[in-house]
Amino acid sequence: DGGRENGSAESRDSADGASSLPSDWPNKRSARRPPTDISPEEVRSALNLYKAKLALLARSSKSSKREIKTTLNACAQDTTGLFLKANNESLRQNYRKAMKLLSNCNQRSERDPNFAALYYNNMGCIHHSMRRHTAAAFYFGRALRENASLCAPAANGEAVPLTHFSCDRRSELEYNRGLQLLLAGKGEAAFACFHAALKLLHRQPRAWLRAGEACIAAHLEREQAVRAGRAGSRPSAVGCEMLGVGGRRRLLLPVGERLPPPGDA
């Protein structure tokens, strides 16, 4: 009996000790929520989001639309759900509706504070699908600036939280912007973007392939510029130069020199 009483006393002491622990989990400085505070509704909504993501990866528009609709009906206008819905509309080539859905995403997600960069990245992907590569490169550039501001130190000297570093997507954004510049015919600028992306994506063969294509494009641009310069600066018998090709061809005469008379030729 004495052992049982001591055991019950120890169990009561342990229960009291557990109740006196701080609510923050796993430590006092952690911003993560303890697992006991997560409600079943949040678990169901997270499962629906993962199902919708898997359906989008499988290119199943009907099932993904059903899962996204279930998620949006179960909770408020969630940012992640609207992003997935815009992705689904983009896969169905409803680009105007996808951009309209992205414009309604004005909430910042607690899981990912890099909301602005994600918004501009999705807009760039939609313009890439529409074959508007210059506009897509502009949106990816905006996403890069928003991503850089997220990881920049604060003006008051406060350190950048570790959660912000985990949301850094500079390499992916550099790759997307480099692809648009390559398709727009800007090889040197595209190679600079691919070179920055390879710092993290160095194990992806596609990134190296795109960097090689950018090198070839830059080399062809230089060769075309050299050929155009040679063709435009052909000397003539009277000492003048010819610039341009076709209807834009111009004849430049020397300044301060007199042309020889016809009898001296």
Side-chain angles (χ1 to χ4, degrees), residues 174 177-179 181-183 186-195 214:
E174 289 282 3
R177 185 169 182 264
L179 182 60
L181 293 174
L182 179 61
L183 294 173
K186 301 177 181 179
E188 293 186 3
F191 178 77
C193 294
F194 289 135
H195 186 268

Side-chain angles (χ1 to χ4, degrees), residues 171 174-175 182 190-191 193-214:
S171 298
E174 289 282 3
Y175 178 85
L182 179 61
F191 178 77
C193 294
F194 289 135
H195 186 268
L198 284 172
K199 294 180 180 179
L200 185 62
L201 306 179
H202 56 275
R203 292 189 176 183
Q204 294 191 10
R206 184 174 296 179
W208 291 100
L209 179 62
R210 295 291 179 260
E213 292 178 350

Side-chain angles (χ1 to χ4, degrees), residues 15-37:
D16 295 336
S19 61
S20 62
L21 291 176
S23 59
D24 294 338
W25 179 87
N27 50 49
K28 293 182 179 180
R29 295 183 179 181
S30 177
R32 298 173 56 187
R33 297 169 56 191
T36 54
D37 290 352

Side-chain angles (χ1 to χ4, degrees), residues 215-258:
C215 289
I216 296 174
H219 178 69
L220 293 177
E221 288 176 7
R222 292 182 180 179
E223 280 193 349
Q224 292 178 358
V226 171
R227 291 177 181 176
R230 289 177 181 176
S233 62
R234 291 177 296 181
S236 62
V238 295
C240 60
E241 296 183 356
M242 190 179 300
L243 297 179
V245 180
R248 297 184 178 181
R249 185 170 55 182
R250 297 293 182 271
L251 189 65
L252 301 181
L253 297 176
V255 179
E257 298 181 2
R258 294 183 178 179

Side-chain angles (χ1 to χ4, degrees), residues 142-182:
R142 290 288 303 270
L144 282 169
R145 288 194 291 270
E146 294 292 341
N147 186 80
S149 64
L150 179 71
C151 301
N156 54 3
E158 294 183 358
V160 181
L162 292 178
T163 54
H164 289 191
F165 285 105
S166 63
C167 299
D168 186 14
R169 290 173 174 83
R170 179 188 175 188
S171 298
E172 292 83 354
L173 294 174
E174 289 282 3
Y175 178 85
N176 292 342
R177 185 169 182 264
L179 182 60
Q180 304 309 312
L181 293 174
L182 179 61

